Amino acid sequence: FTHNPHSLFLQVNHRCPPGVTIASIKVMMSDVCVFVPVSPAAERLRYILGEDDDMPNPTLFTEMDTLQQDGDELEWKESARWVKFEEKVEDGGERWSKPHVSTLSLHSLFELRTCLQTGTVVLDLEGYSLPQIVDEIIERQIDEGMLSPDLREKISFVLLRKHRHQTKKPIHRSLADMGKASGGGARHAHSRSMNDIADTLSTDQLRNKFMKKIPRDAEASNVLVGEVDFLDKPFVAFVRLAQATTLGGLTEVPVPTRFLFILLGPTGKAKSYNQIGRAIATLMVDDLFSDVAYKARDREDLIAGIDEFLDEVIVLPPGEWDPKIRIEPPKKVPTADKRLEKSVHSLNELGQPNGTAGGSGGHAEDEEMFCGGLFLDMKRKLPWFPSDFYEGFHIQSISAVLFIYLGCITNAITFGGLLGDATDNYQGVMESFLGTALSGTVFCMFSGQPLIILSSTGPILIFEKLLFEFSKNNGIDYMELRLWIGIHSCIQCFLLVATDASYIIKYMTRFTEEGFSSLISFIFISDAIKKMVSHTQYYPINTDFKPDYVTAYKCECLPLLSPSPYSSTSKTVSYSLPSYLDWSQLSKKECVKYGGSLVGNTCKYVPDLALMSFILFFGTYSMTVSLKKFKFSRYFPTKLRKLISDFSIFMAIMTFVGLDRLIGLKTPKLIVPTEFKPTRPDRGWIVLPFGKNPWWVYLASFVPALLVTILIFMDQQISAVIVNRKENKLRKGCGYHLDLFWVGVLMAVCSFLGLPWYVAATVISIAHIDSLKMESESSAPGEQPQFLGVREQRLTGILVFVLTGVSIFLAPVLQFIPMPVLYGVFLYMGVASLSGIQFWERIKLYMMPSKYQPDFPFLRHVPLRRVHLFTLVQIICLAVLWVLKSTVLAILFPVMILGLLVVRKMLDMVFSQHDLAWIDDILPGKDKKKDKKKGDKDDTKKKDKKKGRADDSKDKVRNVKIYCHQLAGLEQKKPG
């Protein structure tokens, strides 16, 4: 039996009852096991690797040394090394090659297999020094008759020669390498003779900078190959030490050795020996074979490991490619588990609902009780609460705070100004700043997903505008009506939380997510461009200005309709100025103020502020994109590239703020309130609930509150689903119910204070996550940095909103930031949030010929015409949403989001479940119901897995015997 729950290997080596065959046993157990045809080698490996260990095997550093003639002396010279990929000493001997994928000849693998079959294999050898290990190997070969006793001294002499590692550095080095100490050891510690291997580690070994590329718990496997003239047949040995032991100068780096492979043979086959050495070295850094090497019990287990490796080997025919080309390391490689399983992903795995992204979704079925989802969210998040603060102390958090802070204050100023225009300054920039700071701080402190950023949204702005106009036209106090709508909406949010209404997010598949997030991204992009285009209206470019005629240009202020040299009219007006002012001395603003008229052909001249604004706008965006990608550059050390990438947005903003100050043009600047007081003088900070409206308004406000609740619920939950998607690798789980609870509380608080309402901002939240992504720091040479997840914490969000609140005191500093620079940040947010969206990639396929299309997984399994049809449906839905949000009907926006769920449900009638599994997600509840017997077995299996218990092999054998007896009719007892 194996420990793989998806397959069963059955070997009948006892006498079965009459009538029982292997076929009948398979039929009997078809509802329990899935038989997968696998090779004997794979089955043996499953048996070897079946038991899960608590501790994973250490990473192996493999070094290959070849025997060289140095004058009259022999020495071992390092020729290649592996951590994950191969690095070869170049022919000049002055540098290491670029890490690359090892390309092996098939013949060398078969020869290696023969070497392990015929050579000496010693497992778990108690070794404390290289001389003792060598003596043990030689003694075993002599005892087995594989080596003549008179060759003992010669073999020992050769194997104990000194090792010369690759240490020589070129005279001319790059700036990035300056100051680095040379690694390796050319000078060895004291030993029995100058030509013997060192017994202890040298200073150069201990100072080797290459140790930064190797994990701390790593162990070494040493490969020694060479040719000698006193052997007539190869001397082969594979040794696994019981405990990893430091063997002096054997290894380039101070890493204890666990494995040794020795191959000495007759002269004339040095190239073949070298290829065999590269083959075993490549196998030792293979994840699956290294596990086999650690757990092998005998020679046959190692042979099975090689056979499994051969099963997965892909041969490139000669003449079809250039073997001199070194293959670049892949960005991502499959794990050893996937290789061993050899199973196809099921539709259920491909179509996992997004409601479970990032941990338990906290849905209604999680716990059948009142407010069960809310309690589960609190239970899930409380253990992480302390780490949510101390994990935020990282330099990456500083760049994230600066980036999101600038985005938030720009958004607050923009929406604050629009709200002021829409509500006659009942809500303005000051209320927007205060509301953003209060709501964001409370939400980040206590919510279930603190990575979400709260902000005002377009549909809420439209609702506020319509509500103000309704109140004004019907003689109803706007602020009091708004307060009661907020109270009703808060109560409705509480009801949604109590009834676990967040269960609906299980039906929000990729189709709904991508449609919503793409719409918000396009809104950010279009708004940024619209604001820049509007600058050409306020600051037009004077195309009629001719420098040669500058002496003829003038502009002067004259009384309105008074005689002038530029006009034939002779009418006069009675406008009068104070006695101490003269019309000719007035400025442009003063002339308009006192009713004067600007006359002249240069009166409309302004500096080219529009052009300068576009330079700042596109310059900020382009520099941010370039610096963000700088971490993938080849220049400068890794840490510096990472630092530049993290602070790319801040550096771009500072660069173009400095450029604006250097040029000195009066470009539009960020305007921040300087006094802490309501925007409208006749209102206070507290809104009273009674006294200004009829009593029926308090009850009737339930109806518009219902629309606000739907809007907030859909906007909040879709944004939360996008943030919690499994691609972000969030480990602390989500909290849909807890998030909605605090949004409802903040609705009521902001209503009492007369502040705007806030909900999750999709684009800014995605930007927040993007700025906090973590990648592996110490990786093997050539290995691409692996995405580890997101730095989940509450500190960055809290700091962003605290800074937003104190921005009124930072007005002297913030007033130097040009608005076009912040619009460039908006453009970057919108474009960056589109990256990684499959919908956007599928749109680009329309413009690509088939031969140039990327190798997306869904294109391998779904016909292109079906992909285009699915994309077309999404484009139509996006266009409808775009038109809707641009009209007065934008208040129905949340209902249209619900309509996306209906459209997605209808797609089940157009597309097969197989196609939807690859280009979208399968809706829950599509699988056929299992019978009760199988359901009980699945439940039992889940409970056993949760408790960490595994069935013993003897129990499994006993169960099969019982099945045999049942089939034969000899026993009616139900199997245990």
Side-chain angles (χ1 to χ4, degrees):
F1 284 90
T2 67
H3 294 270
N4 179 9
H6 298 296
S7 65
L8 174 69
F9 172 68
L10 177 64
Q11 180 181 5
V12 181
N13 54 9
H14 61 279
R15 188 172 183 180
C16 285
V20 177
T21 63
I22 296 296
S24 62
I25 295 178
K26 288 183 178 180
V27 171
M28 174 64 187
M29 304 183 69
S30 61
D31 62 334
V32 182
C33 306
V34 178
F35 287 82
V36 180
V38 291
S39 64
E43 284 298 347
R44 188 180 186 97
L45 296 188
R46 283 177 176 167
Y47 180 69
I48 299 171
L49 307 176
E51 296 182 0
D52 295 330
D53 294 336
D54 295 335
M55 296 297 292
N57 294 324
T59 302
L60 281 178
F61 165 76
T62 303
E63 176 183 327
M64 187 175 83
D65 295 354
T66 55
L67 190 62
Q68 304 285 339
Q69 187 82 22
D70 185 15
D72 295 333
E73 296 291 339
L74 292 174
E75 67 175 4
W76 293 97
K77 182 181 179 181
E78 184 179 13
S79 59
R81 67 185 180 192
W82 289 256
V83 177
K84 193 174 185 65
F85 303 101
E86 180 179 3
E87 292 179 89
K88 180 184 178 183
V89 178
E90 303 288 21
D91 291 339
E94 293 185 352
R95 65 188 294 270
W96 285 103
S97 71
K98 188 177 180 181
H100 58 277
V101 177
S102 299
T103 52
L104 307 174
S105 66
L106 194 61
H107 184 65
S108 66
L109 290 170
F110 285 116
E111 286 188 320
L112 172 63
R113 190 179 189 278
T114 302
C115 288
L116 291 181
Q117 281 180 324
T118 59
T120 299
V121 175
V122 184
L123 302 178
D124 297 329
L125 175 66
E126 296 290 343
Y128 54 86
S129 68
L130 186 60
Q132 179 258 332
I133 295 171
V134 169
D135 291 342
E136 183 71 24
I137 297 171
I138 295 175
E139 189 65 34
R140 293 204 180 197
Q141 288 230 357
I142 293 175
D143 293 342
E144 295 173 2
M146 302 171 62
L147 182 68
S148 175
D150 57 351
L151 297 177
R152 178 197 301 269
E153 295 298 329
K154 293 182 179 180
I155 294 289
S156 179
F157 175 82
V158 170
L159 294 179
L160 296 180
R161 293 302 84 200
K162 69 178 181 180
H163 288 249
R164 182 157 57 93
H165 303 294
Q166 174 64 17
T167 59
K168 190 175 181 180
K169 295 285 184 181
I171 297 176
H172 303 287
R173 290 187 289 169
S174 65
L175 293 174
D177 289 333
M178 292 297 182
K180 290 185 178 181
S182 61
R187 301 179 300 276
H188 296 283
H190 176 73
S191 57
R192 290 167 295 185
S193 72
M194 292 301 295
N195 293 320
D196 284 346
I197 188 172
D199 298 330
T200 57
L201 295 172
S202 66
T203 305
D204 290 334
Q205 282 177 290
L206 296 173
R207 293 179 179 177
N208 196 335
K209 297 298 182 181
F210 190 70
M211 280 298 296
K212 294 187 298 183
K213 298 290 186 179
I214 304 175
R216 293 184 178 181
D217 61 343
E219 297 177 349
S221 62
N222 292 92
V223 178
L224 307 178
V225 296
E227 56 180 6
V228 291
D229 55 4
F230 55 81
L231 288 177
D232 56 359
K233 62 179 182 178
F235 175 90
V236 182
F238 179 88
V239 179
R240 182 182 70 198
L241 301 180
Q243 296 293 332
T245 306
T246 303
L247 301 178
L250 181 64
T251 309
E252 170 192 359
V253 287
V255 175
T257 296
R258 171 74 75 163
F259 298 96
L260 271 171
F261 178 81
I262 301 171
L263 171 59
L264 293 176
T267 57
K269 295 185 178 181
K271 184 177 180 180
S272 177
Y273 302 153
N274 186 71
Q275 292 299 318
I276 296 173
R278 289 182 62 249
I280 185 63
T282 304
L283 279 167
M284 294 306 297
V285 295
D286 179 71
D287 292 337
L288 190 56
F289 186 85
S290 63
D291 287 346
V292 174
Y294 271 100
K295 298 178 181 180
R297 299 157 303 174
D298 51 33
R299 184 196 311 267
E300 296 305 320
D301 291 345
L302 296 175
I303 301 298
I306 295 180
D307 290 341
E308 190 280 335
F309 187 86
L310 286 169
D311 286 343
E312 297 294 323
V313 163
I314 297 175
V315 178
L316 296 176
E320 301 295 330
W321 71 296
D322 186 1
K324 295 180 181 179
I325 297 176
R326 289 171 177 163
I327 302 177
E328 292 284 338
K331 294 183 178 180
K332 188 176 181 180
V333 294
T335 62
D337 294 337
K338 291 183 179 179
R339 281 175 47 192
L340 188 61
E341 290 299 331
K342 300 177 183 293
S343 59
V344 181
H345 294 294
S346 65
L347 289 180
N348 290 334
E349 292 172 347
L350 290 172
Q352 181 184 6
N354 283 328
T356 59
S360 175
H363 307 308
E365 74 271 22
D366 291 335
E367 189 166 314
E368 297 295 338
M369 58 179 293
F370 184 73
C371 294
L374 178 63
F375 288 126
L376 283 176
D377 285 348
M378 297 172 62
K379 182 180 178 181
R380 183 186 306 116
K381 302 303 293 187
L382 277 176
W384 297 104
F385 198 74
S387 66
D388 284 342
F389 289 92
Y390 64 74
E391 288 184 3
F393 289 95
H394 192 273
I395 191 171
Q396 187 182 21
S397 300
I398 300 176
S399 64
V401 168
L402 294 174
F403 173 31
I404 304 303
Y405 165 67
L406 291 172
C408 283
I409 62 171
T410 307
N411 206 43
I413 290 173
T414 302
F415 278 97
L418 294 175
L419 274 173
D421 295 338
T423 63
D424 197 14
N425 285 330
Y426 276 103
Q427 299 177 73
V429 177
M430 174 56 72
E431 287 79 8
S432 181
F433 267 78
L434 182 60
T436 301
L438 174 64
S439 301
T441 304
V442 173
F443 186 84
C444 289
M445 180 72 74
F446 302 108
S447 68
Q449 184 48 268
L451 296 177
I452 292 176
I453 300 296
L454 296 189
S455 177
S456 296
T457 60
I460 289 181
L461 174 64
I462 294 175
F463 180 86
E464 295 273 16
K465 182 178 180 179
L466 295 176
L467 184 65
F468 178 77
E469 292 177 354
F470 173 81
S471 303
K472 184 178 180 181
N473 295 334
N474 293 276
I476 299 176
D477 185 77
Y478 163 69
M479 296 302 290
E480 187 176 292
L481 172 62
R482 185 179 179 276
L483 168 61
W484 279 99
I485 291 176
I487 294 174
H488 282 295
S489 182
C490 174
I491 296 173
Q492 290 167 5
C493 287
F494 288 167
L495 291 176
L496 292 175
V497 172
T499 56
D500 290 340
S502 295
Y503 177 80
I504 194 176
I505 66 172
K506 290 191 67 174
Y507 300 95
M508 294 180 188
T509 63
R510 184 192 297 271
F511 180 88
T512 308
E513 284 182 47
E514 292 180 342
F516 180 79
S517 59
S518 298
L519 176 66
I520 304 300
S521 299
F522 287 141
I523 290 175
F524 262 67
I525 295 172
S526 64
D527 284 352
I529 296 176
K530 282 180 182 178
K531 292 179 187 301
M532 287 306 306
V533 172
S534 65
H535 282 293
T536 59
Q537 301 174 2
Y538 295 105
Y539 309 105
I541 298 176
N542 189 10
T543 56
D544 296 330
F545 180 78
K546 297 178 175 57
D548 190 44
Y549 298 153
V550 67
T551 55
Y553 290 146
K554 68 177 182 178
C555 178
E556 57 183 340
C557 179
L558 298 175
L560 188 63
L561 299 180
S562 64
S564 70
Y566 305 100
S567 175
S568 60
T569 59
S570 59
K571 297 179 181 179
T572 58
V573 292
S574 58
Y575 286 112
S576 61
L577 286 177
S579 57
Y580 57 88
L581 290 179
D582 183 17
W583 283 106
S584 61
Q585 303 299 320
L586 296 181
S587 66
K588 177 181 177 180
K589 290 183 178 180
E590 290 173 339
C591 181
V592 176
K593 176 181 178 182
Y594 291 111
S597 175
L598 295 170
V599 181
N601 49 13
T602 60
C603 291
K604 294 183 179 181
Y605 171 77
V606 292
D608 290 337
L609 295 182
L611 178 61
M612 186 64 190
S613 297
F614 274 97
I615 291 174
L616 297 177
F617 173 66
F618 286 111
T620 302
Y621 168 75
S622 302
M623 186 174 181
T624 301
V625 173
S626 301
L627 293 182
K628 201 69 178 178
K629 297 178 180 179
F630 193 74
K631 62 182 176 182
F632 303 111
S633 170
R634 299 174 184 267
Y635 304 104
F636 303 111
T638 304
K639 290 185 178 179
L640 180 59
R641 296 200 308 266
K642 182 75 165 52
L643 192 65
I644 292 175
S645 178
D646 289 340
F647 285 87
S648 58
I649 297 166
F650 179 74
M651 294 172 65
I653 291 174
M654 290 296 101
T655 298
F656 285 94
V657 168
L659 178 64
D660 178 73
R661 295 290 297 167
L662 181 65
I663 300 299
L665 294 178
K666 293 185 178 180
T667 52
K669 300 296 192 299
L670 183 65
I671 301 176
V672 182
T674 56
E675 297 183 35
F676 185 74
K677 63 179 182 179
T679 304
R680 189 181 176 95
D682 60 347
R683 61 149 289 193
W685 283 118
I686 302 296
V687 179
L688 298 178
F690 303 103
K692 295 183 178 181
N693 289 330
W695 64 269
W696 57 266
V697 174
Y698 308 145
L699 301 178
S701 56
F702 174 85
V703 178
L706 184 61
L707 192 60
V708 174
T709 302
I710 297 175
L711 168 64
I712 290 177
F713 176 80
M714 296 302 298
D715 207 342
Q716 175 69 37
Q717 300 298 49
I718 293 179
S719 299
V721 168
I722 295 173
V723 168
N724 291 312
R725 60 171 50 149
K726 56 192 175 187
E727 289 84 356
N728 292 329
K729 295 184 178 180
L730 303 182
R731 70 185 191 282
K732 296 184 179 181
C734 50
Y736 296 101
H737 308 88
L738 188 57
D739 290 345
L740 187 60
F741 172 81
W742 282 108
V743 168
V745 171
L746 292 171
M747 280 284 294
V749 173
C750 289
S751 299
F752 273 103
L753 296 177
L755 304 177
W757 294 322
Y758 294 92
V759 73
T762 307
V763 172
I764 301 181
S765 299
I766 294 175
H768 189 208
I769 286 181
D770 185 63
S771 64
L772 292 171
K773 286 184 175 180
M774 299 182 297
E775 292 180 341
S776 56
E777 296 181 359
S778 60
S779 57
E783 185 179 14
Q784 296 289 334
Q786 300 298 314
F787 173 58
L788 303 178
V790 179
R791 200 175 301 280
E792 298 179 65
Q793 35 73 48
R794 301 177 185 270
L795 203 57
T796 55
I798 293 174
L799 289 177
V800 163
F801 291 112
V802 169
L803 285 175
T804 303
V806 301
S807 292
I808 56 176
F809 305 108
L810 301 177
V813 177
L814 298 177
Q815 67 181 357
F816 294 112
I817 302 178
M819 288 303 294
V821 171
L822 297 182
Y823 296 151
V825 175
F826 261 49
L827 179 63
Y828 171 76
M829 284 185 180
V831 174
S833 61
L834 286 176
S835 62
I837 295 181
Q838 189 194 93
F839 173 47
W840 181 241
E841 299 296 336
R842 283 189 273 109
I843 290 178
K844 292 189 288 186
L845 292 179
Y846 278 109
M847 298 172 283
M848 292 184 190
S850 299
K851 61 181 179 180
Y852 297 124
Q853 292 175 356
D855 186 23
F856 293 126
F858 57 84
L859 290 180
R860 297 183 180 184
H861 302 274
V862 183
L864 184 60
R865 65 181 184 279
R866 306 293 290 174
V867 174
H868 285 337
L869 177 60
F870 187 85
T871 307
L872 180 62
V873 174
Q874 282 188 288
I875 293 175
I876 294 174
C877 292
L878 180 62
V880 172
L881 289 176
W882 182 271
V883 172
L884 187 68
K885 71 94 186 173
S886 304
T887 63
V888 180
L889 295 177
I891 198 170
L892 300 176
F893 181 78
V895 179
M896 293 303 299
I897 296 296
L898 284 173
L900 289 180
L901 301 182
V902 178
V903 174
R904 170 59 185 86
K905 183 69 175 178
M906 295 171 62
L907 289 179
D908 281 343
M909 298 182 292
V910 181
F911 295 89
S912 67
Q913 294 302 300
H914 173 270
D915 292 349
L916 291 174
W918 285 103
I919 57 180
D920 192 53
D921 295 317
I922 296 180
L923 290 175
K926 291 297 297 181
D927 298 333
K928 293 182 179 180
K929 294 183 178 180
K930 309 293 189 296
D931 55 64
K932 186 177 184 300
K933 179 180 179 182
K934 189 171 183 178
D936 293 339
K937 291 180 179 178
D938 290 339
D939 292 339
T940 305
K941 189 180 296 183
K942 289 180 181 178
K943 292 179 181 179
D944 291 344
K945 183 177 180 180
K946 184 176 180 180
K947 295 179 181 179
R949 294 186 282 110
D951 292 337
D952 188 78
S953 297
K954 294 182 179 179
D955 294 335
K956 292 183 177 181
V957 173
R958 185 192 66 223
N959 290 342
V960 171
K961 289 182 179 180
I962 294 175
Y963 276 119
C964 293
H965 287 296
Q966 277 188 314
L967 289 174
L970 301 178
E971 182 175 337
Q972 299 298 326
K973 182 180 178 182
K974 186 178 180 181

